[in-house]
Amino acid sequence: MPCGREEMKRYMQFRTEPRKLPVVFSVEEVSDILMAAPGPVLKYRAALSISYGADLRAAEVCNLEIGDIDNERLLIHVELGKGQKDRKVILSPGLLELLRACWRETRPEGWLFPGKPKINPISPRRLNQAFTSAMRNIDIFRRGQKPMSRAPPREQAA
């Protein structure tokens, strides 16, 4: 009986939070979000597309290197993903073409999606900010997401 607190457990009430279902986007909404990704270059569009198309987490996408993409077998090698485990995921031909276009545009050297400075990968936080920015650009609001920080525009009196 540590510190005489065992008798307190009889009077305590434990609450469990109900589990909520995740937010699911329609195919059209996903397409709109990917097309509204910020930036003049394809970096964030490609990063969000690979996250959605290959079912990768934000940290896994950010830590991808150029050598992790297998063009011939259409595979992505994810090193030290969740649970510090390596895995291979399937890469679609359309996503491979998008990655090639992104590579031609940015010419990264080490990381597939370099950050600032270029010796570091982009951060998962920056990728999540790009996703949120894309959703704000097309005015998608769902349960569990933060509302827009600014009020809708007011009509001007003529």
Side-chain angles (χ1 to χ4, degrees):
M1 191 157 88
C3 301
R5 299 200 181 234
E6 282 296 318
E7 68 275 358
M8 289 179 65
K9 287 184 182 179
R10 285 186 276 162
Y11 303 107
M12 295 176 70
Q13 295 179 359
F14 296 98
R15 242 181 230 214
T16 58
E17 291 274 332
R19 293 186 182 206
K20 296 180 181 178
L21 293 174
V23 175
V24 178
F25 296 106
S26 69
V27 175
E28 294 83 18
E29 288 173 331
V30 170
S31 176
D32 291 344
I33 290 170
L34 295 178
M35 295 311 264
V41 295
L42 292 173
K43 178 165 87 170
Y44 292 113
R45 182 174 162 210
L48 292 173
S49 296
I50 203 169
S51 176
Y52 177 76
D55 196 26
L56 298 179
R57 295 170 183 86
E60 293 172 343
V61 172
C62 294
N63 290 325
L64 285 177
E65 297 178 12
I66 295 172
D68 293 337
I69 307 297
D70 188 350
N71 296 334
E72 290 142 13
R73 298 189 313 166
L74 293 176
L75 289 175
I76 302 171
H77 179 71
V78 179
E79 293 182 5
L80 301 176
K82 187 173 180 181
Q84 301 298 311
K85 296 181 182 178
D86 294 352
R87 64 186 174 124
K88 294 194 184 285
V89 293
I90 296 173
L91 176 66
S92 71
L95 193 51
L96 179 61
E97 287 304 315
L98 179 63
L99 287 175
R100 283 181 176 159
C102 179
W103 185 83
R104 278 187 231 110
E105 197 172 289
T106 59
R107 299 281 182 182
E109 294 178 8
W111 303 104
L112 189 58
F113 304 110
K116 292 182 182 177
K118 292 189 177 197
I119 59 171
N120 295 331
I122 62 171
S123 68
R125 181 177 178 190
R126 182 65 193 118
L127 190 60
N128 288 333
Q129 287 172 346
F131 175 73
T132 304
S133 173
M135 287 187 8
R136 284 185 182 154
N137 287 342
I138 58 173
D139 293 330
I140 290 182
F141 177 73
R142 290 284 175 92
R143 172 180 54 91
Q145 298 170 351
K146 293 181 182 176
M148 292 183 60
S149 59
R150 58 186 173 92
R154 296 181 188 171
E155 292 184 19
Q156 297 285 330

